[in-house]
Amino acid sequence: MNAAVPATAAEIAAIRRRYLLMATSVCLLDLAITVIFTLSASSWVNLWRTAGIGLLLLFGVNFWIARWLFEPIQRFLKGEASFDQTQRRLTQLPLLSARAVLPLALIATVFRLSTPWWLDAGDIVLPKSSVADFIAVSIIIPVFYFTYTYFVVSDYLSNLCDFIYRHFGRNLQLFFGSYALKLLVALLVISILPLIAILVDLFSYTGERLQSEIMVDGASALVGVALSAYFISRSFMRPLRVLSGAMSKVAGGDLAVQVPVTSNDEIGEVTGRFNDMVDGLRERERIRETFGRYV
């Protein structure tokens, strides 16, 4: 069984800061993509406007929402709420964090794409998007940011659940995620969305503008997919590695193993059942030894 070690105030503050950092890290991805678009359009004088709306929404507003989302978990970590009251928020943290990013990303994207139509700045000439490209990008960017945030926070959730297990001896028992759905969304977003963006460009532009749009979409997809793939792979593989390591120990005869449940899907549920199985084996071994001494 796990011997819980009480968490210090500094450790609680650090695990909270890490969540706020992960939840708002999408603003860095957005800034990188904004710089790529700005470089292509040579509109550096407009960068303060396009980057500013992203920082305002995806960092400022998102930071405030993230603090509110983490509040019930923080109360539990401070001993002001029970685990049963908290674990619903805990298991839904990736989805709630990503869902908060979705409308913020939509507002920022529409603002940027619509700028050439309403900006009256004399010497600033900004390229206007076609209607099809406007609609496609207004859908692709928010969905991409949603997916990125979901898997970034899912990766963080593994660390948070491990922290709670080590310091409070509690494991998740509610599982609202779906491993198959996560895998499907990850594959579709990483592989299909960049292709859709490029196909829309092919039917919307010609000549140098077409080449420029494809280069921008390709570079943006490269940055976004690389970052997303890193966190997606971590969120999928870490719970499996933890469970596999524990199974190897049990196979070697170590029945003192207890594994933190670090996933909110079927893998987490299987990990919980694994712990129950090891508890049963441990109890059976204790009974066998006791009966042997009696005989």
Side-chain angles (χ1 to χ4, degrees), residues 42-227:
S42 299
S43 57
W44 295 103
V45 294
N46 193 47
L47 179 61
W48 69 270
R49 186 180 288 107
T50 54
I53 188 66
L55 291 174
L56 174 64
L57 295 175
L58 296 175
F59 179 77
V61 177
N62 192 28
F63 182 86
W64 179 82
I65 295 174
R67 288 184 60 185
W68 174 76
L69 289 175
F70 198 78
E71 186 62 29
I73 299 172
Q74 186 177 10
R75 287 200 301 269
F76 163 72
L77 296 178
K78 290 182 176 180
E80 299 171 359
S82 69
F83 184 74
D84 292 336
Q85 295 173 321
T86 307
Q87 67 170 328
R88 178 174 291 272
R89 174 59 56 86
L90 192 67
T91 192
Q92 291 182 330
L93 191 62
L95 179 61
L96 295 175
S97 302
R99 197 167 65 185
V101 166
L102 191 63
L104 301 178
L106 177 61
I107 294 171
T109 303
V110 170
F111 175 86
R112 290 163 177 164
L113 293 177
S114 64
T115 300
W117 276 273
W118 55 261
L119 180 63
D120 184 12
D123 57 339
I124 299 179
V125 179
L126 301 175
K128 295 181 179 180
S129 302
S130 68
V131 174
D133 193 30
F134 189 106
I135 295 174
V137 174
S138 296
I139 295 173
I140 291 173
I141 293 294
V143 170
F144 198 87
Y145 288 2
F146 172 92
T147 305
Y148 168 85
T149 303
Y150 182 88
F151 284 104
V152 165
V153 179
S154 292
D155 179 59
Y156 164 81
L157 182 63
S158 296
N159 292 283
L160 178 59
C161 289
D162 181 69
F163 179 87
I164 291 174
Y165 179 73
R166 285 187 289 109
H167 293 290
F168 299 91
R170 300 302 302 267
N171 264 328
L172 278 181
Q173 296 175 323
L174 295 177
F175 306 98
F176 295 115
S178 169
Y179 191 87
L181 183 59
K182 288 181 183 180
L183 184 60
L184 177 63
V185 169
L187 291 175
L188 288 177
V189 169
I190 287 180
S191 59
I192 300 299
L193 290 188
L195 292 178
I196 292 176
I198 292 175
L199 285 175
V200 171
D201 291 339
L202 291 173
F203 286 99
S204 301
Y205 307 106
T206 58
E208 294 183 359
R209 179 68 188 277
L210 174 60
Q211 295 177 1
S212 174
E213 291 291 333
I214 291 178
M215 289 182 60
V216 169
D217 288 345
S220 301
L222 182 63
V223 173
V225 168
L227 288 174

Side-chain angles (χ1 to χ4, degrees), residues 223-272:
V223 173
V225 168
L227 288 174
S228 299
Y230 172 76
F231 288 105
I232 288 172
S233 63
R234 281 174 58 95
S235 67
F236 277 127
M237 297 307 299
R238 180 179 177 181
L240 290 175
R241 285 197 298 266
V242 170
L243 182 59
S244 176
M247 293 176 68
S248 297
K249 290 181 180 180
V250 171
D254 183 3
L255 297 182
V257 174
Q258 279 288 297
V259 188
V261 178
T262 60
S263 179
N264 63 353
D265 52 27
E266 293 89 346
I267 301 301
E269 189 172 3
V270 169
T271 303

